[in-house]
Amino acid sequence: MGKIKSKYSDNESNENESDAGLKHQIAILKEQLEELRKVEENLRESEENFRDIFETVEEGIAYGTLRGKVLSINKNLEKIIGIPGEKIVGRNIMRVSKDLLSLENFNIVIPLLHDVVRGNPIRPFEVRFREKLLEVSVSINNRTRRLTGTIRDVTESRKIQNELKISETRLRRAELASKSGNWELHLKTGTMIGSEGAVMLYGVKGSPIDISEVQKVPLPDCRPMMDKALDDLIKHGKPYDIEFKIKKADTGEIIDIHSIAEYDRENEILFGSIQDITERKRAERVIMRNNRDLAQLLQITMELLETVERKEVLKRILEGAIRLIELDTGVIYHLNDDTLRLEVTVPPIPDNYPEEFRKADVNRHPHIKKAIISNTPVIVYNIYDEELTPEEKLIADKKDLHSMIYIPLTANKQVIGVLILGTVSRAYEFSDREIRLSRTISNIASITIENSLLFDNLIVAKNKAEESDRLKTAFLHNISHEIRTPLNAIIGFSGFLDQPDLLEEERKEYIDIIFQSNNQLLTIINDILNISHIETGQAKLKIAPVDINRMLNNLHRQFLPEAERKDLSFRIGKHRSDCKAIVETDESKLIQIMSNLISNALKFTASGYVEFGYECRGDHVEFYVEDSGIGIAAEEQERVFDRFYQIDKTESRNYGGTGLGLPISKGFTELLGGRIWLKSEINRGSSFYFTIPCSRFKVEAAAETESTPAAKPETSALKSILVAEDEESNFALIATMLKHKNYHITRARNGQEAVDIFRKNTGTDLILMDIKMPLMDGFEAATEILQIKPNVPIVAQSAYVHQSDKALAIEIGFVDYLAKPFDKQQLISVVEKYIK
Ligand code: ADP
């Protein structure tokens, strides 16, 4: 305008030239108008441009006054918010916001708008509108005093961003869970980027990673291998797949890493991933170790199959255990009651070791005892920290022991020993694996001990069986001789008896021989019956008070003739002569034991003496039979109690016998609750001792007349005995045996007759009743007789030896039982026992 004004003032100064001036002015005006039109044109153009931009930009734009009145909005904004412009334009932005936004969002927006209308610049903000997330930024033009709001729909991009974030989190978590990570190395720039997992595994500071730090983490031994792998990858494109160990940069922890990498040659980037495989490696090592353990255990077991000899087997077990657990020393003790017996040691026991090493009392080894009682391994880290018994200290010092493990050995759930493993001059912590292994080994050892014990028993049993077989053969050989000799005599001399020209003298002599032979036969048969009773457990006791002084006297009287024949001094030695000694025991068995011992003493003594007697020793009586005979060598002394055993001096063995006397004596002694043993010296004599318990040893004032048999009157003169016996010969035998005894003997041929006779003579003093008889057997007859007179003594005499018959007889009321065959002495002692 200024320019136009000046041109007018030029016109006024030159009126003459008015036309020209007017024209000129018009021209100027035109020019000015043209200029104005151009300006207007430009303006319109720029407004159009602005409108174009306003309408075409992606963002929604709102334009308004500084006070918030909306002057215009573009189409895009309408599209974004889905509301036509006329509903907004001309209204205040506050009101519009209030109408359109939720309360929550309005509350977010309102302070910002307040700031805006006050002319304060604000940061872009986000606001939820319907389903959309809008990003709003407001700019203020102070010159034009206008506001421009730019609104972008960021719903989609924010969704994508979120998804990206989620997947990144997932990846991170997966990396952390699998203890893995990823890295990139840009060779051009030398930058290394690592995921969180990678950074953590290397223990380095966050991304980008300081390469020099990463290069330091691999353990030195792994480096050459890693360098080569990297070289192969970069130069030859060979895939990189390696395992190595690193020392983490932050904690210094050593871990195993598995790493794979590839190379993007075009961009010169190495992409790698790493994983912590420490656990896997550890598991691998455990598996490998277990495999090795198993292989070794198998080898030990295989070795065991090669031998059955216990010591050898145990030695191998022990060596195996020490090898497996890499220890220095070990022992295996076998436990028997409270005694520990050393089975094996590794290294082997030196000769100068004290005896305590070989045999030990478990009570003096508390650690062993604890393992045995608890039946669990006992571990001692340092033996010198423990309280040691002198025995333990001795062993620990001698061997310089330190750490020990005591493992019980069991068989059939019983502790049978202990395996001890230890270290020498170093302390050692036993791991779970080693305890487990030791237990396995102890189980193998237990089985071995058990097996070898069985094996030993088998060997013993086999030897015994062979010995017994040998003895039986010898016995049969012997017995046939023992039986044939008297049988020959009986048959031979019986044949002579009816020869008419036989002198009375000769007849007497023959009868004597036959009689002796009979007795001999009877003894043999009795011995065999007795031993079979003992062995089959049928021998039973009949306990009654026994006057042992009287018994000794009877034995003396019985054996005196034989002693006199050999010109031996035969005497009763120690005994209680001042009184009557009564012991509750089984008399017949006691007599049998004494008879066997006395007859042996007489048999094996050619000159000198045989003495027997007893001594009272507290709760038992100790009997003895002593002789000055041939004696028994020390090595034979145990064996003379074996069945059929006879000391073999083949050429000079001219003593009779069956080898059963001592085993019978032993069997009976034990049955009576005592024991038997001997002392002997070759050519100087033997003393046999045996005990019987006497809880009730009674001493009564000796009845003068009863103490010696010689002084004893024949009290039976008027006594009557009823013998029930169907067999003629048996009756004749009994009658003959009792011939000189002055008894009145009546015979019944069957049970019925016995009852009838007794009924007529109830004064009968004793009945000897056969069991097996026609018409009525002995059991029935006795029952009836006892009904007639309950206290009459009835003695069963029978060839039945079955225990049940004896039991029945006693139950019925028989006072005693004489098993056929019996000898004269046995019969007389029974008869005298009941006829007083
Ligand atoms: P037997 O006497 O029938 O042979 P034993 O069993 O009674 O059988 O004795 C077994 C062996 O013990 C005898 O054969 C004998 O060798 C030996 N013996 C027993 N007693 C004596 C003794 N008093 N003196 C010497 N040896 C004896």
Side-chain angles (χ1 to χ4, degrees):
M1 285 302 281
K3 207 175 169 187
I4 292 170
K5 213 175 174 183
S6 75
K7 279 185 182 173
Y8 281 119
S9 55
D10 279 352
N11 280 349
E12 278 170 37
S13 65
N14 197 356
E15 278 175 18
N16 293 332
E17 296 171 67
S18 63
D19 278 357
L22 194 65
K23 274 185 186 171
H24 181 69
Q25 278 182 349
I26 290 168
I28 288 172
L29 204 63
K30 260 184 166 173
E31 205 177 301
Q32 283 177 338
L33 277 171
E34 183 59 18
E35 231 171 269
L36 240 153
R37 200 189 52 79
K38 271 189 185 162
V39 168
E40 204 178 315
E41 181 92 341
N42 278 345
L43 202 70
R44 203 177 52 245
E45 210 173 295
S46 95
E47 200 185 299
E48 260 169 33
N49 278 346
F50 167 74
R51 179 100 352 235
D52 254 12
I53 295 168
F54 189 64
E55 292 303 341
T56 53
V57 286
E58 250 183 69
E59 286 86 0
I61 297 176
Y63 182 66
T65 67
L66 203 55
R67 309 210 61 165
K69 184 180 171 186
V70 180
L71 296 175
S72 172
I73 69 167
N74 71 351
K75 287 268 179 273
N76 256 340
L77 185 57
E78 286 180 356
K79 216 162 101 193
I80 290 170
I81 60 178
I83 294 167
E86 58 265 29
K87 290 207 171 168
I88 299 171
V89 175
R91 298 180 66 199
N92 191 289
I93 189 68
M94 300 275 193
R95 293 201 144 264
V96 174
S97 300
K98 190 154 193 263
D99 290 349
L100 297 181
L101 296 177
S102 67
L103 186 63
E104 189 190 347
N105 282 305
F106 180 69
N107 285 339
I108 300 171
V109 168
I110 203 73
L112 298 166
L113 291 181
H114 273 301
D115 271 354
V116 169
V117 294
R118 274 185 217 116
N120 296 330
I122 57 161
R123 287 170 159 276
F125 63 91
E126 282 179 2
V127 63
R128 285 220 160 263
F129 176 64
R130 296 185 182 158
E131 295 300 297
K132 293 182 173 170
L133 183 70
L134 305 179
E135 190 188 70
V136 182
S137 49
V138 181
S139 61
I140 304 165
N141 189 334
N142 282 323
R143 192 176 56 81
T144 57
R145 300 190 55 78
R146 291 289 182 264
L147 294 175
T148 310
T150 313
I151 291 106
R152 281 199 307 138
D153 181 357
V154 292
T155 321
E156 273 309 302
S157 68
R158 194 49 45 85
K159 212 164 125 194
I160 291 166
Q161 254 179 25
N162 276 343
E163 273 167 11
L164 204 67
K165 219 161 110 190
I166 289 170
S167 78
E168 266 175 8
T169 313
R170 275 197 197 120
L171 185 69
R172 220 184 81 236
R173 290 216 180 128
E175 277 193 348
L176 293 181
S178 62
K179 294 190 175 174
S180 61
N182 294 289
W183 54 265
E184 288 169 32
L185 178 58
H186 296 250
L187 295 182
K188 268 189 217 154
T189 56
T191 354
M192 186 174 189
I193 306 164
S195 67
E196 194 181 334
V199 168
M200 267 176 54
L201 283 185
Y202 284 131
V204 291
K205 286 183 207 80
S207 222
I209 301 169
D210 180 351
I211 298 183
S212 67
E213 229 189 330
V214 172
Q215 278 170 342
K216 277 188 226 150
V217 291
L219 293 192
D221 337 350
C222 308
R223 281 201 191 127
M225 176 268 292
M226 290 177 73
D227 289 346
K228 183 169 183 313
L230 208 58
D231 211 46
D232 283 351
L233 176 63
I234 296 173
K235 285 194 186 145
H236 313 297
K238 203 172 151 203
Y240 172 128
D241 186 337
I242 52 172
E243 289 179 2
F244 51 92
K245 274 184 185 296
I246 63 162
K247 186 175 178 184
K248 289 178 79 161
D250 51 357
T251 57
E253 187 190 350
I254 293 186
I255 60 171
D256 289 281
I257 291 285
H258 175 218
S259 174
I260 51 173
E262 55 192 60
Y263 182 47
D264 175 355
R265 193 177 293 280
E266 208 174 307
N267 296 304
E268 293 182 47
I269 304 176
L270 282 171
F271 293 98
S273 52
I274 52 172
Q275 188 175 19
D276 178 355
I277 52 163
T278 315
E279 281 307 315
R280 197 193 82 199
K281 280 275 169 194
R282 193 169 294 151
E284 270 176 21
R285 278 195 291 274
V286 169
I287 290 171
M288 271 167 63
R289 210 175 40 205
N290 283 351
N291 283 350
R292 203 194 62 196
D293 291 350
L294 268 176
Q296 292 223 26
L297 283 173
L298 198 67
Q299 192 182 339
I300 295 173
T301 320
M302 297 290 285
E303 279 178 12
L304 298 184
L305 295 177
E306 287 169 18
T307 174
V308 285
E309 206 276 304
R310 180 162 80 226
K311 283 241 158 34
E312 181 58 28
V313 170
L314 290 178
K315 190 173 142 251
R316 288 186 184 198
I317 291 174
L318 199 58
E319 282 169 353
I322 289 171
R323 213 166 48 228
L324 203 58
I325 309 182
E326 289 164 11
L327 294 171
D328 310 317
T329 175
V331 294
I332 291 179
Y333 279 109
H334 182 233
L335 179 72
N336 200 345
D337 291 330
D338 266 1
T339 307
L340 293 163
R341 195 164 41 91
L342 188 71
E343 291 281 346
V344 279
T345 68
V346 170
I349 195 162
D351 289 341
N352 63 348
Y353 264 33
E355 193 50 34
E356 293 94 294
F357 277 60
R358 298 171 210 277
K359 225 173 162 200
D361 180 352
V362 73
N363 295 310
R364 308 185 76 94
H365 294 262
H367 293 94
I368 297 181
K369 191 174 181 178
K370 194 169 157 199
I372 288 171
I373 290 175
S374 64
N375 195 7
T376 45
V378 168
I379 297 169
V380 171
Y381 179 65
N382 188 350
I383 198 92
Y384 293 99
D385 291 345
E386 306 280 315
E387 232 176 74
L388 300 182
T389 59
E391 285 84 352
E392 284 186 320
K393 187 156 172 24
L394 185 73
I395 295 174
D397 282 347
K398 269 229 181 285
K399 290 187 143 190
D400 192 15
L401 296 174
H402 265 73
S403 304
M404 313 284 290
I405 180 165
Y406 303 77
I407 309 135
L409 305 174
T410 51
N412 291 329
K413 295 188 182 133
Q414 297 255 316
V415 178
I416 54 159
V418 61
L419 162 75
I420 308 173
L421 301 172
T423 60
V424 170
S425 40
R426 68 187 167 110
Y428 183 76
E429 200 105 46
F430 289 91
S431 68
D432 284 353
R433 162 190 163 256
E434 286 157 351
I435 298 168
R436 238 185 4 257
L437 273 178
S438 321
R439 273 200 159 251
T440 311
I441 290 163
S442 83
N443 287 343
I444 298 176
S446 300
I447 295 167
T448 307
I449 293 183
E450 211 176 336
N451 280 349
S452 66
L453 287 176
L454 282 177
F455 187 75
D456 285 357
N457 289 346
L458 245 143
I459 298 279
V460 170
K462 179 175 160 273
N463 288 345
K464 262 195 173 162
E466 281 171 4
E467 169 75 353
S468 146
D469 200 44
R470 196 185 62 71
L471 287 174
K472 260 186 203 146
T473 312
F475 167 75
L476 285 176
H477 194 253
N478 198 26
I479 200 99
S480 73
H481 170 260
E482 288 296 315
I483 291 175
R484 265 168 219 280
T485 314
L487 261 185
N488 259 353
I490 294 167
I491 295 166
F493 285 106
S494 306
F496 292 142
L497 281 182
D498 58 356
Q499 284 189 0
D501 54 345
L502 200 66
L503 298 174
E504 192 51 31
E505 198 70 2
E506 287 170 324
R507 183 188 306 275
K508 252 184 135 187
E509 193 188 327
Y510 295 169
I511 287 175
D512 255 6
I513 294 171
I514 292 171
F515 188 72
Q516 270 177 24
S517 305
N518 266 330
N519 275 343
Q520 219 173 315
L521 257 183
L522 202 60
T523 309
I524 294 168
I525 288 162
N526 265 334
D527 276 0
I528 294 171
L529 288 177
N530 277 330
I531 200 78
S532 76
H533 275 167
I534 290 170
E535 294 202 347
T536 55
Q538 288 183 51
K540 292 275 150 42
L541 294 176
K542 219 172 72 204
I543 305 293
V546 179
D547 178 344
I548 52 177
N549 280 342
R550 192 177 143 178
M551 182 193 78
L552 292 195
N553 284 327
N554 285 344
L555 286 167
H556 186 264
R557 200 177 44 192
Q558 184 188 336
F559 285 100
L560 188 60
E562 195 180 333
E564 282 173 349
R565 236 190 341 270
K566 294 183 83 173
D567 209 11
L568 295 174
S569 156
F570 185 57
R571 56 190 185 241
I572 295 178
K574 289 175 232 167
H575 70 291
R576 293 282 302 262
S577 54
D578 55 328
C579 61
K580 201 169 159 188
I582 308 290
V583 175
E584 299 249 328
T585 191
D586 182 318
E587 184 174 26
S588 67
K589 303 226 164 24
L590 184 56
I591 292 175
Q592 173 91 57
I593 302 166
M594 284 301 280
S595 304
N596 286 349
L597 297 181
I598 296 170
S599 94
N600 273 349
L602 293 171
K603 188 158 62 169
F604 297 105
T605 305
S607 62
Y609 69 92
V610 170
E611 182 187 302
F612 59 101
Y614 68 88
E615 273 184 283
C616 300
R617 295 184 182 273
D619 61 351
H620 62 267
V621 186
E622 187 180 292
F623 291 88
Y624 73 93
V625 177
E626 194 179 300
D627 65 55
S628 57
I630 60 169
I632 301 170
E635 64 275 13
E636 307 274 9
Q637 291 181 8
E638 270 289 299
R639 308 195 58 197
V640 291
F641 294 104
D642 288 350
R643 281 180 305 150
F644 312 130
Y645 189 78
Q646 295 184 313
I647 296 166
D648 190 21
K649 292 195 219 111
T650 333
E651 71 284 6
S652 62
R653 180 149 190 115
N654 42 19
Y655 311 97
T658 55
L660 286 175
L662 289 179
I664 290 171
S665 303
K666 183 169 188 269
F668 282 171
T669 311
E670 285 166 2
L671 205 63
L672 291 174
R675 63 184 192 95
I676 188 164
W677 70 100
L678 71 104
K679 285 182 191 156
S680 182
E681 234 179 286
I682 234 48
N683 294 331
R684 302 197 67 161
S686 311
S687 301
F688 281 81
Y689 303 87
F690 69 96
T691 59
I692 57 166
C694 74
S695 49
R696 287 196 286 146
F697 185 83
K698 280 191 270 174
V699 283
E700 297 167 6
E704 296 282 306
T705 45
E706 279 189 30
S707 63
T708 59
K712 189 175 169 257
E714 295 290 338
T715 50
S716 49
L718 299 169
K719 303 289 178 179
S720 60
I721 299 173
L722 170 60
V723 180
E725 176 59 73
D726 59 332
E727 286 282 344
E728 209 63 50
S729 59
N730 282 348
F731 174 72
L733 188 66
I734 293 173
T736 313
M737 284 174 170
L738 297 175
K739 199 161 124 195
H740 301 293
K741 288 288 175 181
N742 275 343
Y743 296 122
H744 180 265
I745 294 173
T746 317
R747 178 181 177 196
R749 285 184 166 75
N750 58 54
Q752 188 56 59
E753 217 175 286
V755 176
D756 294 342
I757 293 172
F758 184 76
R759 215 187 290 277
K760 280 184 207 141
N761 184 8
T762 52
T764 305
D765 294 291
L766 177 69
I767 302 167
L768 294 175
M769 180 78 79
D770 186 17
I771 298 296
K772 191 169 170 263
M773 285 185 295
L775 284 178
M776 183 188 278
D777 71 12
F779 291 136
E780 249 181 278
T783 314
E784 285 200 21
I785 290 171
L786 287 170
Q787 274 169 5
I788 300 165
K789 190 177 177 187
N791 61 353
V792 62
I794 310 176
V795 173
Q797 43 105 6
S798 171
Y800 280 144
V801 285
H802 201 275
Q803 198 53 40
S804 59
D805 291 323
K806 280 191 181 179
L808 183 60
I810 301 299
E811 203 176 301
I812 284 173
F814 283 88
V815 289
D816 217 327
Y817 195 104
L818 259 177
K820 285 177 188 165
F822 45 81
D823 63 15
K824 186 177 168 188
Q825 186 54 42
Q826 283 171 309
L827 177 66
I828 289 171
S829 51
V830 168
V831 169
E832 287 184 349
K833 192 168 163 189
Y834 297 101
I835 295 184
K836 300 261 165 69

